[in-house]
Amino acid sequence: IEAPTQSKKRARLIREKANAPMPDPMDPLLQALTNWETNHDLSHRILALYSSLDVDATNAIDFQQFLEGLKKLGFKPTIHLTEEDCERITERHKLCNPNGTISPSQFEVIMRMQVKQYIQRRLAETLLKHEDDDDAAILSVFK
């Protein structure tokens, strides 16, 4: 009797691993940003983050400043972005200035998109984890 049950569990775990989204290197930062209470609060948090990254106060950060600033923030695990990650989050530099820098308003657009994608990944993970129990899935989503 237990063999089919264990077989079902094993098959479910295999499906979960195959369908699980790859973790994003920015997840520690994005998780910290998801605790906002209002739209204004999220904007304030994003702009405060931008200010901490814009150490020379020029209202323009480049990829190197972004990388160095993220490391100094001390997230665990440490955030390591590649050039490919930067291209992905800036939509192949479409969300950057022509010189490759990012203004505060561009940074807010980028970070809001990243927060949205983070939340979507987390919802998908939760729904996959509880796909056999609709009530547990709904309760987990609300947490």
Side-chain angles (χ1 to χ4, degrees):
I1 291 177
E2 288 191 15
T5 302
Q6 286 190 357
S7 177
K8 272 185 168 181
K9 285 182 182 178
R10 188 174 304 133
R12 183 172 158 232
L13 287 173
I14 291 170
R15 274 196 324 273
E16 284 177 11
K17 285 184 179 181
N19 293 326
M22 294 298 291
D24 189 284
M26 286 188 34
D27 279 358
L29 169 62
L30 298 172
Q31 181 180 10
L33 287 174
T34 60
N35 296 321
W36 81 89
E37 294 186 21
T38 65
N39 202 25
H40 177 73
D41 182 36
L42 178 59
S43 291
H44 178 74
R45 289 169 187 250
I46 291 171
L47 293 177
L49 172 62
Y50 184 88
S51 293
S52 70
L53 299 173
D54 185 19
V55 292
D56 57 2
T58 59
N59 280 335
I61 58 172
D62 61 20
F63 181 63
Q64 197 59 40
Q65 281 179 297
F66 190 53
L67 290 179
E68 290 170 8
L70 288 175
K71 287 180 185 175
K72 288 179 184 174
L73 292 174
F75 283 100
K76 299 290 181 204
T78 304
I79 299 172
H80 296 285
L81 296 179
T82 64
E83 187 71 43
E84 291 154 350
D85 293 324
C86 184
E87 287 183 16
R88 177 181 51 80
I89 67 174
T90 62
E91 294 186 353
R92 300 202 190 292
H93 304 287
K94 290 178 189 169
L95 299 174
C96 297
N97 293 318
N99 64 359
T101 61
I102 301 169
S103 71
S105 60
Q106 291 164 320
F107 186 74
E108 183 169 4
V109 169
I110 291 166
M111 293 310 297
R112 282 180 174 276
M113 286 174 29
Q114 292 304 303
V115 166
K116 179 181 176 183
Q117 291 170 6
Y118 172 79
I119 291 170
Q120 288 172 338
R121 282 194 309 276
R122 295 300 309 258
L123 284 172
E125 291 168 9
T126 300
L127 292 173
L128 278 173
K129 186 186 297 184
H130 299 288
E131 72 180 337
D132 296 334
D133 185 352
D134 291 341
D135 291 337
I138 290 169
L139 291 173
S140 294
V141 166
F142 283 120
K143 287 183 182 176

